[in-house]
Amino acid sequence: MYKKSVMVVIGIFVLFSLVGLASMANSAKERGKANRSGKIAIIHVEGVILGGRGQSTVLFEQGGTDQVIKQIHEARDDKDVQAVVLRINSPGGSAAASQEVGEELKKLRAQGKVVVTSMGDVAASGGYWLAACTDKIYANPTTMTGSIGVYMPYANWEELYKKVGIYQEKIKSGPHKDIMSPERQMTQEEREIIQTMVNDIYNQFVDVVAEGRKMDKDQVRKLADGRIYTGNQGKQLGLVDELGNMYDAIDGAAQLAGIVGKPEIKELGKQTPWQMLFGPSEKISTLLEQFLFQKAQNQLSFGIPLEASPEKWQVK
């Protein structure tokens, strides 16, 4: 009788121990699951937006949206990433490259990932195109944004060539093969062709902003005359949702994604050796100056496909 009582007690003890261990294992599993579910990826878009792989040297890595798209796919494939903060410091660039990245951002959102924009010094033209494809836009009050518009640069150096005695002839396969040539006056027919292209790209830009910002197209057109706005003005006009820095954007992304507690940050991309030596501020500090200079000099074709321009005019 005594032995049976002891065995029963031991059996109950073992049973409760097994239940306790199973409960602890489930708790640990749930904690691990909770930690994995709270991850936010940071993707940086810096400099002029150009398609392709860009150009890399030992010290510099610039241009090329292929890397940005690769990072978007990395965030898409990581099941633990619930939200992405797109950190934009760009004056714009090629419309085609901006469109390509914008479509990938839309696909990312369609798969249930939250995408929030954080604007740095400048997020204009193609930079704003990308922002309009995200769930929410944060900007600093002094951020330069907007510049919603399109232009194609054209110069006529015919008189200059005559003065220095340069005469060029072309054997063309078609009447418009040398359209926008700087060696002669553009014909009215050619001007209409280019204007039609500009209008088409502009309308696509307006559509992206109207869809992304849930605004009427006529309302967008009133704002989309090519001018730039401060972040503060953008907030008042509906182009920006909230004023704040990148950490405010991270908090906003966590809230939209339903992440409880402090989110885990996953920084995508890599710093160049030049940035590691001198810090990212070196590049950012000159970005605003470049934007203002190029805007004033009318040398940078914001929001247009650079490949449509003669190679000698393209920004390298």
Side-chain angles (χ1 to χ4, degrees):
M1 185 66 183
Y2 175 75
K3 289 183 177 178
K4 287 185 178 178
S5 299
V6 172
M7 293 298 292
V8 169
V9 171
I10 293 175
I12 293 174
F13 177 77
V14 171
L15 179 63
F16 274 101
S17 298
L18 290 174
V19 170
L21 288 172
S23 178
M24 290 174 64
N26 286 333
S27 297
K29 186 177 180 181
E30 289 300 320
R31 284 198 301 273
K33 185 178 179 180
N35 289 335
R36 289 196 301 271
S37 65
K39 191 180 292 185
I40 294 179
I42 310 292
I43 297 177
H44 294 267
V45 177
E46 296 185 349
V48 177
I49 300 171
L50 296 174
R53 293 181 294 179
Q55 296 181 344
S56 299
T57 65
V58 175
L59 295 179
F60 295 100
E61 182 176 341
Q62 61 180 8
T65 52
D66 286 3
Q67 288 299 319
V68 176
I69 292 175
K70 185 178 179 181
Q71 292 166 26
I72 293 173
H73 288 181
E74 186 177 344
R76 177 200 62 190
D77 296 337
D78 189 337
K79 296 180 180 178
D80 296 335
V81 171
Q82 298 298 306
V84 171
V85 170
L86 193 68
R87 176 67 169 175
I88 302 176
N89 240 328
S90 169
S94 161
S98 302
Q99 187 174 51
E100 199 170 41
V101 176
E103 290 302 312
E104 292 301 318
L105 293 173
K106 291 179 182 178
K107 293 176 187 174
L108 187 64
R109 292 172 60 195
Q111 294 185 347
K113 310 270 187 179
V114 171
V115 184
V116 172
T117 290
S118 168
M119 294 181 170
D121 302 271
V122 182
S125 196
Y128 189 80
W129 185 310
L130 301 187
C133 296
T134 62
D135 292 290
K136 196 170 186 178
I137 299 176
Y138 284 75
N140 298 296
T142 54
T143 292
M144 285 197 175
T145 186
S147 189
I148 303 170
V150 182
Y151 78 80
M152 290 192 182
Y154 166 68
N156 182 0
W157 299 338
E158 185 177 6
E159 294 301 320
L160 175 63
Y161 286 171
K162 288 180 179 177
K163 288 182 179 178
V164 297
I166 298 176
Y167 299 93
Q168 290 191 344
E169 293 185 7
K170 296 188 179 78
I171 310 301
K172 299 187 289 186
S173 59
H176 303 304
K177 183 56 183 173
D178 66 337
I179 193 170
M180 298 182 74
S181 171
E183 299 142 8
R184 61 176 177 80
Q185 181 73 33
M186 187 185 296
T187 67
Q188 184 59 33
E189 184 182 5
E190 290 172 334
R191 187 174 297 278
E192 291 174 358
I193 290 173
I194 298 300
Q195 186 63 56
T196 301
M197 290 179 62
V198 168
N199 293 345
D200 183 27
I201 299 170
Y202 174 75
N203 288 332
Q204 293 182 52
F205 200 164
V206 169
D207 288 345
V208 168
V209 176
E211 179 187 350
R213 302 303 302 166
K214 296 179 174 56
M215 297 170 67
D216 184 79
K217 289 184 183 179
D218 291 336
Q219 184 183 359
V220 175
R221 291 182 191 282
K222 290 179 182 177
L223 305 175
D225 60 1
R227 76 181 65 183
I228 53 176
Y229 300 100
T230 65
N232 196 36
Q233 291 173 323
K235 172 74 165 52
Q236 296 173 11
L237 297 170
L239 297 176
V240 170
D241 293 300
E242 300 287 347
L243 297 179
N245 59 25
M246 188 172 75
Y247 298 97
D248 295 319
I250 291 174
D251 290 341
Q255 188 175 9
L256 284 177
I259 297 174
V260 179
K262 187 177 181 181
E264 180 183 348
I265 303 301
K266 181 179 183 180
E267 193 102 9
L268 300 182
K270 61 180 181 179
Q271 284 189 319
T272 65
W274 185 261
Q275 288 175 320
M276 286 188 281
L277 284 172
F278 299 98
S281 59
E282 190 280 335
K283 186 175 182 180
I284 293 173
S285 64
T286 59
L287 189 62
L288 185 58
E289 296 172 8
Q290 291 175 13
F291 172 73
L292 293 174
F293 176 77
Q294 289 162 342
K295 191 76 172 173
Q297 295 295 318
N298 203 28
Q299 291 180 346
L300 187 60
S301 49
F302 299 107
I304 75 162
L306 295 177
E307 62 272 21
S309 303
E311 186 177 358
K312 66 180 72 173
W313 296 349
Q314 294 181 13
V315 178
K316 301 295 184 183

